[in-house]
Amino acid sequence: MSEVQQRKKIILSGIQPTGTFTLGNYIGALSNWVKLQEEYHSAYMIADLHALTVKQDPIKLRQQILSAFAVVLACGVDPEKSLVFMQSHIHQHAELNWVLACHTQFGELSRMTQFKDKSAKNADNVNAGLFTYPSLMAADILLYQADLVPVGADQKQHIEITRDIATRFNHLYGNTFTIPEPYIPKIGARIMSLAEPTKKMSKSDENTNAFVTILDKPETIVKKFKRAVTDSDMKVCYAEGKDGINNLISIYSTATGFSYEQIEKEFEGKGYGDFKKAVGEAVVELLRPVRENYERLIADKAYLEQCYQAGAEKAANLAQCTLKKVYKKVGLVMK
């Protein structure tokens, strides 16, 4: 490893395989993963263990995990440049989770807003895994001695508790974990729902017209944008109170590279119908290479297996180094 490579920081991120990833996931996370792999030692995981906090159909979940892995590669994450793996393939995640859970206070976990939100949505399944979710997330991060973790507004608490757990452990047992810093991406588009533009686009939305998935067919994408909620003003401009149009301008800007001023000039004197059709077509072209790559990859199960097996082997070696150190620190007898 060269001196330049040694100076690279480690960045880690994960995504749950629950449903097909949306345009928002692509713009807000996956497209950034591709850029980050050029600047950092990057580790990206399919967070399949986290998906178990909600009841899953086993057959469907297995398909979604493989599909999610293929989508990550289709977006441009290169297994030669990045460490790409499935969380459940690395048993050290669950093992470190237990040690960290024993160093996490009940009160800390009870204050997590995501636990409260998910409990309200899944009142019939408020399980222990949902409650201890943050200690598993801490294990995910700390196993690989990550310097940086990309976070959105809804994940900041998890980075804070991870830092608290790591700091507490280091204080008790000596320097063991790198204290991770949140990585705040450069300001980019926050993609909102096409049906309720004051809400973030979500793959779990019951209204399928509210979101566009990475794998939607071109005609489906155009149709969804044609149905997007706007306002009665009919002027294509970015302004307060025009949530629907602001969202579409943001998406169009991201897909084409045009500035808001250029977009307003392009559609001056034109109606919302023309604009919505143009946004849909621009998104089709943005996602076309991803969709084509995905179709090729998902048909090549042998290649996918080769990639996730190689990723698992590399990840396990790194994870075991950290776990061995932790076990020795807490006083377990090593075999």
Side-chain angles (χ1 to χ4, degrees), residues 83-102:
L83 176 60
V84 195
F85 62 97
M86 297 176 190
Q87 181 191 25
S88 62
H89 287 178
I90 316 303
H91 61 80
Q92 290 88 349
H93 285 251
E95 292 180 53
L96 182 58
N97 171 38
W98 175 252
V99 177
L100 297 184
C102 294

Side-chain angles (χ1 to χ4, degrees), residues 16-18 51-58 61 64:
Q16 284 199 41
T18 48
L52 299 179
T53 60
V54 177
K55 289 174 183 171
Q56 302 285 352
D57 176 307
L61 178 62
Q64 287 177 334

